[in-house]
Amino acid sequence: MFWGETLADRLLVILATFSVLSLYPLLWGGQKPASHALIQVQKEEPRSASLQHRQLLRIDGKIGTSTIEIKDGFARFIDSPCRSKVCIHYGWLKHSGEVIACLPNSVTLSLVGGDSRFDSINF
Amino acid sequence: MNNKTLKTDRHDLRIVWLTSLAITIYVVEATLPSPLPGVKPGLANIVTLFTLYYFGFSSAVWVSLLRVLAGSLLLGTFLSPAFFLSLSGACCSLLVLALTRKLPLSLFGLSLLASLAHMLGQFFTAYFLFIPHSGLFHLLPILMTAALVFGLVSGTIAHATLKQLKTKPISLS
């Protein structure tokens, strides 16, 4: 296979391949599991729930009650009054920074923590 | 000083010929389906590289920027996000070519560098102007892999073409 005419070409190919490959662990790795779920209804103050305790949360939104399940560090929608059920089909959230927004019911579930962004959280 | 008409000389005509060649490739390539915005082979840049090789850097700048402008007018993307992505990519790869053309790299190496620079320029324009969300960085490894592969492909084509041109010389004046 042809991979360059001069020595500089070949060094460049090696260097470029190495740099591009190193982007994968750099930008895809290091996703930390979240510690808390934030649930926000419309413009209200978000409420926080620890991901460690297994629980079912019933959230009253704009058009009805959404049910969010939290289990073993994961969170998901398991019931929603919306028509499309996009929020349910999205499945489990695990990593800090992930978000599901159920727009018809104005309920937003987002995961935070795990990267020591907070020293403490008060309820 | 009385002569108010612009004279076209050989240099101008050469740039027009090369640019029209680049535009043709650019427009044909635009019809290919692409899995992600910004991911395409970028074969029109081979023309820029040949212009750089045979006629110097300033001609390459003309051919590259005119191609972006005229290509966007033909495709109807002038002043749209796609145009600015294309323009920033072209500027970025020209900048990198300006800095590296004195290095002992062949057209193959320059093609690879230009391709990577084009993608980085596009990516950061997209990030700062259009989608300033950190989630965009998850796309960067895929985009750069595409740029690497297409840079190697373009470089191989450029190398093979240059070899042909050297064995069967054509008039390039």
Side-chain angles (χ1 to χ4, degrees), chain A residues 22-31, chain B residues 123 134 136-141:
Chain A
S22 67
L23 285 175
Y24 284 89
L26 198 69
L27 295 174
W28 282 9
Q31 275 192 319
Chain B
F123 179 81
S134 60
L136 203 60
F137 280 92
H138 287 288
L139 275 181
L140 192 58

Side-chain angles (χ1 to χ4, degrees), chain B residues 22 135 143 167 173:
Chain B
L143 292 175
T167 51
S173 56

